[in-house]
Amino acid sequence: MRRPETGPSALQALGDVGRVAADLTWPAMFEDQVARRPNSVAAVCASDRVTYAELNGSSNQLARLLIARGVAVEQVVAIAVPCSIQLVISLIAVMKAGAAYLPLDPNLPDQRLSHMVSDSGATVLLTTRELANRMRQVAQIPMIVLDSPEPAALLRELPVENLDAGECPIPDGLNHAAYVIYTSGSTGTPKGVVVTHDGIGSLVATAVYRFGVDCTSRVAQFASVSFDVAVFELCMSLCAGGTAVMVPAERRAAGAALTEYLVEQRVTHVALPPTLVTALPAECRLPEGSLLAMGGQAVPTDLVKRWVTHVRVAVAYGVTEATVNSTLWLAEPNWQGPAPIGQPDPDTVIYVLDAGLKPVEAGVEGELYIAGRGLARGYLNQPALTAQRFVADPFGPPGGRMYRTSDRVRLRSDGNLEFLGRADDQVKLRGFRIELGEVDTCLLANPAVHQAVAVIRKDKARGESMVAYVVPNPDDDPGHADMGAEQVDQWRQIYDLEYSKVPTALFQEDFSGWISSYDGRPLTLEHMREWRDATVARILDLAPRRVLEMGVGSGLLLGRVAEQCDQYWGTDFSAEVIAKLATDVERHPKLAPKVSLLCRAAHEVEGLPEQFFDTVVINSVAQYFPNIEYLTRVLTGALALLRPGGSLFVGDLRNLRLARCFHNAIHLCRSGRNDDSEHLRRAADRSLHLEKELLIHPDYFHALRDQAPQIAAVRILLKSGRFHNELTRYRYDAVLRKAPVEAASPASYPSICWDDRFGGLGALQAYLFTVRPDAVRVTGIPNARILPEELALAAIDSGANITEAKQLLELHAGMDPEQIESCIRQLGYRVDLTWSERSASSYDAIAYLASPGDELSLDGQYCDRVRGGSLSDYGNNPASISRANFLVPALLEQLKQWLPDYMVPSAVVVLDSLPLLPSGKIDRAALPEPDLGSLSAYRAPTGEREQILCSIFAEVLGLARVGMDDNFFELGGHSLL
């Protein structure tokens, strides 16, 4: 172990804790373990496993094949192999052949992978058939597809014994390149770090003497192969005689799938990024007594406290340029204060220096420098950058180097290093120096915030501005705690205000509040009458006698349906609605005896008669529910009130499957000729992300049926109507039938693809007239209501300009559903039109012969579908958006109280989760552009002066619109604008 001859005494390396094959290369240390325990299990991946002897033999064969293909000492071999035992074989084989491996994570973008291959000068690429086609596009170099017939046959013929010096002459093993890993791709062009075998022995010594790894250990291999922690994980197991437990890709998310796998595999050591550990649900447990190592970013003290009670916790610090790891702290159960990064690893020297490269005293902040064994050669093909970061060690032997980390630390009195942040973490914003970490800390001090990160963004209109991104604390989430009561109350307040001004629909026809999303104008009376009449007809088709309507509103349906029924009950969560409607019902001689009205929310079914109603109606109110969980609760309660065989009509539902198309069409209709298509696409995506109404995938009702046996049949129906508007295009009805119901199976009638058989009304009419089937399903009919808008969406996605995309909206393409329905009915058939599985812009027509009074229906048309997953996956989560409306102003007010004005972010964006790099660190480049106007209540300008003022503000701020109540500074404005 090398020590500085002169220099700081405040902190140097640990003593010589023992050499674990410290003068051997990585493959040599592995071969030493093969000789000691050939029949022990070396690696497992799910149900696959391999012994040390098998792993060694396979890697020897592959090394010989590489040499035969021309791979020479010091060359680079790229490896693109999914997480598997084959991946471990490939890594070891490349090093045995004398080359350095370049790991390629298949999850990385093609452009990044292509740069890594070309920049590294890799001479050959190892991959599998699964990735071969993609890799041929990424890398223009020779490939060996390991699981294809030819290489597999060649490998079987090669010797399994270790290579001798004649087969692979390596002049200086320890200084020989072991691997090349690319870093810092999120801020610019990624750079390759060339790491030698010299520091591998220190990693193994750390594993053995500080982690307690031995031949009984089972070490998780979790990190992406392109992240250098994977080196530590594999060395920790294979060079110390333990077992490498590879975590399959599908189990690498923060959840039970990961922790249950670790428990099943009896893992004793696991390294995980703090972000992922933070995101683990409370019920997830790691194997009792195992060691959890966290590093790569600051580790919160609360995170240590959460886990240290049942596992050993280690905080690790290291950089790729110094062979993965340099310091380590083993957590103490009752630790108070920030979690330190510990003391140096074996053969590692740490310096804490000031700007003049002079040692600082203990307790004084300085910059961290790393020396000793394990320093990388430098950056591949970048001598200037190498010289800048790998500098002469003034305290070490002649020719010694040290690596400048740009990390700020201080040495504590107990000998542990405390991490203080980046030396280059300061930013300058409009002349002020700002420490972004201080903003993060202030945000995290709010108990409602789970994660936070502040960044500087550049915008053409506003210049540089600070944006903060926060993830709410799930334990503080009202959307889960009380089914989104905050949003329900918010809608209640809006309805109380709106309906206090609107007459009921019993004596006066009024459709106030129905505004077109395309242009902001009221929908025409003719369109709204058609919408109402079609809904009434669909409900009456269910032959209702005892009806319950949840969300009765102004009585638009009650006034038309109640006269046909024996009893009609209506509930609504707005007291204003119920009071006004009750007064008008009393004045209506035909309705007063049969109508009962109650003020209650949709989920409040206590006191209503169970199994009493033959029809329950929930029309045009589900979009105001906070989330799918609340909808499920309401539907479950409604089913309990239905008599056997009754119908639950859920109407006017917004289709999640078509949501992006809808938002794109809205922004396209509102755009100007000179608007940028990329800006429009981003704006539409932001609007979709911030959608405040509940969107429901039609498949939700089939998934619900799988979980609720009382649902005997499901019908999903397109909205009826000859007019094309957002109601007929993007909404639908669902009819749930309570058991017992006689329903036909899809297997009992044929299914014919529209494109394969028809293509026009004439061909469909001829088929029904001549063949006269009892029932038939025509699939994939192009939907004339939606197809133009979907084509416009595809055009925007492909980069077409606004004018070209708008022209597509004028197309008369596809088949009008109303025409199809009329054509089929004219031939004596009944017909259901439903969404098609083939594409979002097509529908299916189900035609069947039945007399009007026939109980036989096709309610079971989807009964053979297999559903799975969580019900919440079938909808968005408006409660989280509603919560942002409360959280963001509170956070901004808090920051204004704690920080100078220039340190308060221009925007706070609430996310479900922070985007992560394969290493587990925050992917800052993937943070979405903020929508600075999204939380403002828009009040349109009136009069010429107000319109001019708002248009000037919008132009200066680069926003689509600015309302009269908007605050210039809250929308990102500042004094320089």
Side-chain angles (χ1 to χ4, degrees), residues 333-348:
N334 298 317
W335 182 264
Q336 300 295 323
I341 58 174
Q343 299 180 1
D345 291 344
D347 294 335
T348 301

Side-chain angles (χ1 to χ4, degrees), residues 265-489:
Q265 294 289 345
R266 308 186 311 283
V267 164
T268 61
H269 297 75
V270 59
L272 298 173
T275 306
L276 183 140
V277 178
T278 301
L280 283 174
E283 65 271 15
C284 290
R285 313 297 287 178
L286 293 171
E288 196 72 27
S290 60
L291 183 138
L292 167 64
M294 293 182 285
Q297 62 195 87
V299 179
T301 305
D302 290 345
L303 194 59
V304 174
K305 291 180 178 179
R306 172 185 169 184
W307 291 96
V308 76
T309 56
H310 71 284
V311 300
R312 294 180 296 151
V313 175
V315 175
Y317 167 86
V319 292
T320 301
E321 292 84 348
T323 317
V324 189
N325 202 75
S326 296
T327 70
L328 194 70
W329 176 67
L330 296 175
E332 302 170 14
N334 298 317
W335 182 264
Q336 300 295 323
I341 58 174
Q343 299 180 1
D345 291 344
D347 294 335
T348 301
V349 180
I350 295 297
Y351 304 125
V352 184
L353 308 177
D354 62 16
L357 297 185
K358 294 181 180 179
V360 301
E361 297 296 326
V364 177
E365 179 181 323
E367 186 173 349
L368 178 64
Y369 287 76
I370 303 173
R373 296 185 65 172
L375 290 195
R377 278 189 196 163
Y379 300 108
L380 185 64
N381 301 323
Q382 298 195 50
L385 183 59
T386 299
Q388 179 185 350
R389 307 299 297 184
F390 294 84
V391 298
D393 181 359
F395 314 107
R401 301 179 305 153
M402 59 183 184
Y403 175 72
R404 181 180 183 180
T405 67
S406 292
D407 287 330
R408 297 178 295 108
V409 298
R410 62 168 162 248
L411 180 63
R412 297 164 50 95
S413 58
D414 60 5
N416 286 303
L417 284 169
E418 184 177 340
F419 180 80
L420 302 176
R422 292 285 295 173
D424 54 4
D425 195 34
Q426 278 192 347
V427 296
K428 200 170 186 180
L429 181 63
R430 297 192 291 275
F432 295 101
R433 291 188 181 276
I434 297 175
E435 196 69 53
L436 294 176
E438 186 175 353
V439 181
D440 297 347
T441 301
C442 289
L443 290 166
L444 289 168
N446 191 309
V449 176
H450 181 52
Q451 293 174 286
V453 60
V455 301
I456 301 298
R457 300 193 70 105
K458 291 185 179 181
D459 182 87
K460 291 181 180 179
R462 294 179 291 274
E464 285 191 333
S465 62
M466 189 196 312
V467 178
Y469 298 85
V470 299
V471 176
N473 186 344
D475 296 332
D476 193 54
D477 186 355
H480 289 84
D482 56 8
M483 304 300 257
E486 284 187 5
Q487 189 181 8
V488 172
D489 288 341

Side-chain angles (χ1 to χ4, degrees), residues 61-82:
Q61 290 173 315
L62 181 53
R64 288 186 169 93
L65 179 60
L66 290 172
I67 294 171
R69 294 289 179 91
V71 172
V73 173
E74 285 290 321
Q75 289 185 346
V76 176
V77 175
I79 300 176
V81 175

Side-chain angles (χ1 to χ4, degrees), residues 899-917:
L899 300 172
D901 289 343
Y902 64 83
M903 290 187 67
V904 177
S906 298
V908 176
V909 180
V910 180
L911 301 176
D912 293 333
S913 62
L914 296 177
L916 302 179
L917 294 163

Side-chain angles (χ1 to χ4, degrees), residues 929-952:
E929 181 181 341
D931 183 6
L932 295 175
S934 64
L935 297 180
S936 302
Y938 179 73
R939 182 167 68 87
T942 58
E944 183 179 4
R945 290 190 177 186
E946 289 187 358
Q947 291 174 354
I948 292 174
L949 177 64
C950 287
S951 65
I952 291 174

